[in-house]
Amino acid sequence: MTQKVRLPSPFKLVTYDTIDSTNEEAKRLARDGVPSGAVVWAKEQTSGIGRRGRKWISEIGNLYFSILLRPDCSAFKAMQLSFLASLCMAENIKDVLPDTAIVNCKWPNDVLVEERKISGILLETQTLPQGDIDWLVIGIGLNIKSFPEDLEFPATSLTHEGAKNDICAEIMLELFSHRFLSNYKIWKEMGFEPIRKAWLCRVAWIGEKITVRLEHETLVGKFKALDKDGALILLDNGDERRITAGDIFV
């Protein structure tokens, strides 16, 4: 039996058994003028998309959803919400796994368990002519029952990591919505710094040697810090490099 999902106001749930992509549907709703707070959830996606256009494997039993927001801020500031979303998902994952599980946030917006990817986040936006956000869609995938075996980066799922059998998409969506709303209010009232500090408590590989793959080059250096805006500071041959987008590996 499907558990009824209760989301806190102002979230309003839009549910599908199967859809091309929850992000695509959330963007369609945004363009139709739907207000902030719509949450699109599907049991299965036929064309799920990850970061940089990668295909997101979307089997039944996992969680796929997208949140439509209209945050009334610049596009630059809105990108901070990827850290907020990954922090909330990481803390919810930690809550449902055994106490010994190591849950980390991987810059810029993935969640790892035992250094294996369990959740990914994709932000898409449309801006107004003056540069402020018209709308923002946060798409989130969480491996609950299964995970792909052939990814470049190792993956895992809640079930594989020891979550109880009754943990399901409905439970994780409800938990996330409450935690996200609480932290979203903090972000709106106090800015990015409280979110940044909490995220840094869960960050993976800070202080370690990492490889950063950018669109046109690959860098190797020490993950020195996360700056006040969320950029990764890489120490490369004694020089600091500020990186705002890329994929990192160890």
Side-chain angles (χ1 to χ4, degrees):
M1 179 179 293
T2 300
Q3 175 176 322
K4 183 176 178 60
V5 179
R6 295 178 176 85
L7 302 187
S9 179
F11 291 140
K12 294 184 178 180
L13 191 62
V14 182
T15 305
Y16 296 90
D17 287 334
T18 303
I19 199 171
D20 55 349
S21 159
T22 61
N23 256 39
E24 290 302 313
E25 177 63 8
K27 289 190 292 183
R28 289 190 284 263
L29 295 176
R31 293 172 185 136
D32 287 341
V34 171
S36 182
V39 178
V40 180
W41 167 43
K43 296 178 182 178
E44 182 181 30
Q45 297 181 117
T46 58
S47 301
I49 301 173
R51 293 180 64 240
R52 301 196 176 191
R54 301 185 184 102
K55 183 177 181 180
W56 184 271
I57 306 300
S58 306
E59 297 181 357
I60 292 175
N62 295 332
L63 175 60
Y64 318 105
F65 69 103
S66 300
I67 303 173
L68 167 61
L69 297 173
R70 299 183 185 273
D72 189 25
C73 67
S74 68
F76 178 77
K77 183 177 180 180
M79 292 302 102
Q80 298 168 358
L81 293 174
S82 67
F83 294 91
L84 191 156
S86 64
L87 173 65
C88 293
M89 184 56 77
E91 291 179 343
N92 285 336
I93 289 168
K94 180 64 178 176
D95 286 346
V96 302
L97 290 183
D99 291 341
T100 54
I102 298 175
V103 181
N104 295 120
C105 294
K106 174 178 176 281
W107 186 91
N109 49 14
D110 289 341
V111 181
L112 310 179
V113 176
E114 310 293 344
E115 298 198 348
R116 294 184 287 270
K117 183 173 177 176
I118 197 168
S119 179
I121 296 164
L122 173 66
L123 269 65
E124 297 187 86
T125 65
Q126 180 168 292
T127 57
L128 297 168
Q130 67 269 30
D132 286 348
I133 286 288
D134 183 9
W135 51 258
L136 165 75
V137 168
I138 305 175
I140 302 176
L142 171 65
N143 299 331
I144 297 178
K145 301 298 183 183
S146 64
F147 59 92
E149 297 280 4
D150 58 347
L151 288 180
E152 181 181 28
F153 195 90
T156 190
S157 68
L158 291 180
T159 298
H160 185 77
E161 297 298 334
K164 295 180 180 179
N165 290 333
D166 62 350
I167 295 299
C168 59
E170 291 87 343
I171 288 174
M172 296 307 295
L173 177 56
E174 192 169 311
L175 288 174
F176 180 88
S177 66
H178 284 276
R179 185 164 253 142
F180 182 89
L181 183 61
S182 176
N183 281 278
Y184 186 60
K185 290 177 179 177
I186 291 173
W187 176 78
K188 289 176 70 176
E189 294 171 4
M190 303 177 64
F192 183 49
E193 189 58 20
I195 305 302
R196 175 183 171 275
K197 286 183 177 179
W199 187 90
L200 280 169
C201 291
R202 289 210 172 274
V203 64
W205 309 328
I206 195 164
E208 298 183 25
K209 182 179 179 181
I210 61 171
T211 298
V212 184
R213 294 182 186 170
L214 308 178
E215 188 172 358
H216 300 296
E217 62 179 322
T218 298
L219 305 172
V220 176
K222 180 181 177 181
F223 183 174
K224 181 179 179 181
L226 184 79
D227 78 3
K228 64 182 179 62
D229 298 314
L232 185 151
I233 304 302
L234 185 74
L235 190 62
D236 181 12
N237 293 322
D239 297 323
E240 290 187 0
R241 179 97 175 243
R242 184 177 186 272
I243 299 170
T244 58
D247 293 316
I248 69 172
F249 304 86
V250 291

